[in-house]
Amino acid sequence: QVQLVESGGGLVQAGGSLRLSCAASGLTTRLYIMGWFRQAPGKEREFVAAITKIALTPRYSDSVKGRFTISKDNAKNTVYLQMNSLKPEDTALYYCAANYGSNWGDGNFYDYWGQGTQVTVSS
């Protein structure tokens, strides 16, 4: 059974940092594109970042580029999202997801999802 468990969320002031972790079990992260998505209240889920399978190429949404860094430790089957210079508009429930295919930017192509971890940025 596949499980993705996110951790690391919390309350932080604007300009602060958080590091999210996603521990995967039941799958091998090196075989999957691993992504982070977020959803704020009343808004649609949006792509945040992804890291590809073999080349480990990171992909980011324009809204987080230069502030967030995604990384993957295949030995630990864990994916990270380092979030710096946080803004109130980054407040959302952050989800980790795994995609066996190749479309990294569309959540509809992801096969497995975690339960989410809340990030709240105060102004």
Side-chain angles (χ1 to χ4, degrees):
Q1 182 179 354
V2 174
Q3 276 195 310
L4 302 177
V5 180
E6 303 97 334
S7 61
L11 173 63
V12 65
Q13 287 190 328
S17 298
L18 283 173
R19 188 173 87 147
L20 305 183
S21 298
C22 171
S25 59
L27 62 76
T28 302
T29 55
R30 65 179 177 84
L31 299 179
Y32 287 78
I33 293 173
M34 300 300 295
W36 287 95
F37 292 76
R38 66 187 182 187
Q39 187 166 21
K43 294 190 176 181
E44 303 249 326
R45 181 182 65 197
E46 65 170 341
F47 168 77
V48 175
I51 188 163
T52 60
K53 300 177 192 181
I54 298 175
L56 301 183
T57 302
R59 308 287 188 185
Y60 300 99
S61 67
D62 288 342
S63 61
V64 307
K65 199 174 295 182
R67 300 187 298 121
F68 290 12
T69 302
I70 188 171
S71 61
K72 183 167 66 165
D73 186 336
N74 287 328
K76 295 183 178 180
N77 243 22
T78 301
V79 183
Y80 305 96
L81 186 68
Q82 177 67 43
M83 306 186 296
N84 298 329
S85 302
L86 282 161
K87 305 175 181 179
E89 50 264 43
D90 293 318
T91 295
L93 189 60
Y94 282 71
Y95 296 93
C96 173
N99 175 1
Y100 194 69
S102 59
N103 190 322
W104 48 265
D106 186 340
N108 292 316
F109 288 89
Y110 280 72
D111 304 291
Y112 303 103
W113 292 82
Q115 294 298 306
T117 184
Q118 179 67 39
V119 171
T120 303
V121 184
S122 62
S123 57

